[in-house]
Amino acid sequence: MPDQSIPEAHTPALEEGASDPAPFGEGLSRRKLLSTAGATGLVLGAAGGAVGYTARPAEAAPLTSLGADQVMFHGKHQPGITEGLQARGHLVAFDLAAGAGRKEAAALLRRWSRTARRLMAGEAATQDDTDVARDAGPSSLTVTFGFGHSFFARTGLEKQRPASLDPLPDFSSDHLDKKRSDGDLWVQIGANDALVAFHALRAIQKDAGSAARVRWQMNGFNRSPGATSHPMTARNLMGQIDGTRNPKPAEPDFDLRIFVPSSGSNDPSWMANGSYAVVRRIRMLLDDWEKLSVKDQEGVIGRRKSDGAALSGGTETTDMDLEKTDAQGDLVVPINAHARITRPDQNGGAAMLRRPFSYHDGFDGDGVPDAGLLFVCWQADPLRGFVPVQRKLDRGDALSRFIRHEASGLFAVPGGAAEGEYVGQGLLEG
């Protein structure tokens, strides 16, 4: 965990050229339905959900900012990369069905893009909407699509496979379950409302129809926006502030580190403005971690647990003094501290944008929690971003005793779709 963080068959009428039917009866969008709810007596609670019907018409309360916040689907980059952490997330990988190839993949990405655009706008799915999110607004929903290494052979597009998508090397901390790793296609879903996120997951899975089947799926969460008195860096399940040194979009070299340039790159042209996502399911051995004193936990990380400040002093954003020693002459930030090892200036400038979700999948037979981090990091080149940092962590990270990497995937995430286009169109129709 580098210290860098911010099926059901589809209907042929939904293929290219089909028009989107009106989502609600008389052509009302969910947004318009909400705005006119007062005329029908529907009352919205403070959180934006329907709480009942009054005996007489009443004015509808507006959606709170949590529900009303909307992310645009079309743009230079795909959504779900630079946006803030969302309260709920789903990661799901698909494999193309036997006999499905480039044509079927293109039709699938067209359906998925249409559905993602509608749901992110707070509208119903194109066909057979389940009404799970009927009362909610967009809730910062994002849907992001990527291609795995195996996708290119399945579709006859091997010559378009980026060199940066070569399989990740083996790491000593790996205990990987192959059934929960990799995949032809990858979808990341995030939202600030759990029902909105699930609604999108179900719609995407139904849209896959007979073209693809789920390979694996994982559920995650973060702190809800507004749960703290002021905006702050997230905490993980170890209780540590996690993401202090994440690259910031305002930094002059941010795009160079995170996104594939539109020219002057070794990547194929269809990856322009795209990025590479490394996905790891990292189990935290919480019973062992929680036996440590707070002081020992801070020594493992190299930062104070209370406020995320480096052990060398200052605030969370104060630069870490790697040479500072205590009265005994020992380094204040231990030589094997996680935050020291993962610093870009200790890894040849290697940087990545971390955008993870925490997860908890219950307890095993001994009562040990199956919990940890759904680690998702973004970079322009994983061989210069994730790989060198993880190799260094393998050689002596103090945190490695308390985590276990159990699943892994690397996905090429193309740039955003322009109006009237779908994600991956440059690859699948180029």
Side-chain angles (χ1 to χ4, degrees):
M1 297 181 299
D3 181 44
Q4 315 242 12
S5 167
I6 113 117
E8 224 166 283
H10 85 278
T11 303
L14 301 187
E15 292 294 354
E16 55 271 41
S19 60
D20 293 345
F24 294 105
E26 297 291 329
L28 288 176
S29 68
R30 178 180 297 132
R31 186 177 304 283
K32 188 171 183 181
L33 182 67
L34 287 167
S35 69
T36 58
T40 61
L42 178 62
V43 179
L44 300 182
V51 295
Y53 288 86
T54 62
R56 55 189 172 83
E59 283 192 21
L63 284 168
T64 67
S65 62
L66 184 70
D69 288 346
Q70 180 180 348
V71 180
M72 297 295 104
F73 175 73
H74 295 293
K76 182 178 180 180
H77 310 297
Q78 283 198 61
I81 301 176
T82 60
E83 286 77 20
L85 297 180
Q86 294 136 307
R88 189 65 177 173
H90 301 293
L91 307 180
V92 55
F94 293 82
D95 285 334
L96 291 173
R102 180 175 176 177
K103 178 181 178 181
E104 289 76 14
L108 175 57
L109 266 297
R110 189 178 293 110
R111 293 196 299 275
W112 274 354
S113 295
R114 183 184 298 121
T115 293
R117 174 181 59 79
R118 292 179 62 87
L119 297 186
M120 285 175 56
E123 299 173 359
T126 311
Q127 182 77 8
D128 297 329
D129 190 88
T130 61
D131 283 343
V132 171
R134 184 183 182 100
D135 313 301
S139 302
S140 297
L141 174 68
T142 60
V143 186
T144 318
F145 303 104
F147 304 110
H149 184 276
S150 55
F151 176 82
F152 297 84
R154 299 292 303 276
T155 54
L157 291 166
E158 292 97 328
K159 292 183 179 179
Q160 289 295 318
R161 183 169 55 210
S164 298
L165 200 57
D166 287 350
L168 296 173
D170 294 331
F171 301 106
S172 62
S173 57
D174 286 352
H175 296 77
L176 303 183
D177 178 355
K178 297 297 184 182
K179 293 181 180 179
R180 292 194 293 183
S181 299
D182 304 318
D184 294 341
L185 293 155
W186 175 69
V187 185
Q188 174 192 252
I189 296 168
N192 284 333
D193 179 79
L195 286 179
V196 168
F198 176 81
H199 180 241
L201 174 66
R202 180 60 175 146
I204 290 295
Q205 181 247 339
K206 289 175 68 176
D207 271 356
S210 60
R213 58 179 178 80
V214 174
R215 177 181 177 89
W216 55 260
Q217 193 259 313
M218 302 174 188
N219 307 312
F221 58 91
N222 284 304
R223 174 173 279 157
S224 297
T228 56
S229 60
H230 58 87
M232 60 179 293
T233 310
R235 290 186 184 272
N236 60 33
L237 297 189
M238 288 179 162
Q240 299 288 153
I241 288 180
D242 190 349
T244 298
R245 290 189 58 85
N246 237 3
K248 306 297 189 295
E251 295 170 359
D253 61 349
F254 179 84
D255 280 5
L256 184 65
R257 292 179 170 195
I258 307 304
F259 295 110
V260 175
S262 55
S263 62
S265 168
N266 293 326
D267 287 271
S269 60
W270 65 267
M271 272 297 292
N273 302 314
S275 188
Y276 291 91
V278 174
V279 182
R280 310 276 280 182
R281 184 183 192 271
I282 304 176
R283 185 170 183 176
M284 295 176 173
L285 308 182
L286 294 177
D287 284 353
D288 294 335
W289 174 256
E290 291 163 5
K291 291 175 183 176
L292 298 180
S293 66
V294 171
K295 181 179 179 181
D296 287 343
Q297 290 178 353
E298 292 176 338
V300 169
I301 302 300
R303 292 184 175 276
R304 293 200 298 256
K305 193 170 185 179
S306 60
D307 60 4
L311 296 184
S312 54
T315 67
E316 180 187 352
T317 57
T318 301
D319 285 341
M320 183 177 290
D321 184 349
L322 300 180
E323 305 303 323
K324 186 174 182 178
T325 57
D326 58 20
Q328 288 71 45
D330 296 324
L331 289 169
V332 174
V333 180
I335 197 69
N336 63 347
H338 183 74
R340 173 190 285 268
I341 291 176
T342 58
R343 288 171 58 94
D345 57 10
Q346 301 294 301
N347 294 280
M352 65 196 85
L353 176 66
R354 299 177 68 259
R355 200 173 180 279
F357 293 93
S358 293
Y359 79 87
H360 177 225
D361 289 340
F363 301 85
D364 65 18
D366 296 322
V368 176
D370 182 2
L373 199 68
L374 300 182
F375 174 89
V376 182
C377 72
W378 300 90
Q379 58 259 278
D381 181 355
L383 295 180
R384 292 188 294 111
F386 174 78
V387 171
V389 177
Q390 188 59 44
R391 278 178 169 159
K392 192 167 184 180
L393 290 171
D394 265 15
R395 294 195 293 268
D397 177 25
L399 186 60
S400 62
R401 292 174 45 215
F402 304 98
I403 60 175
R404 187 164 61 224
H405 293 242
E406 296 186 337
S408 179
L410 171 62
F411 302 95
V413 177
E419 292 280 353
E421 297 182 351
Y422 63 89
V423 173
Q425 186 167 332
L427 168 65
L428 292 163
E429 296 187 15

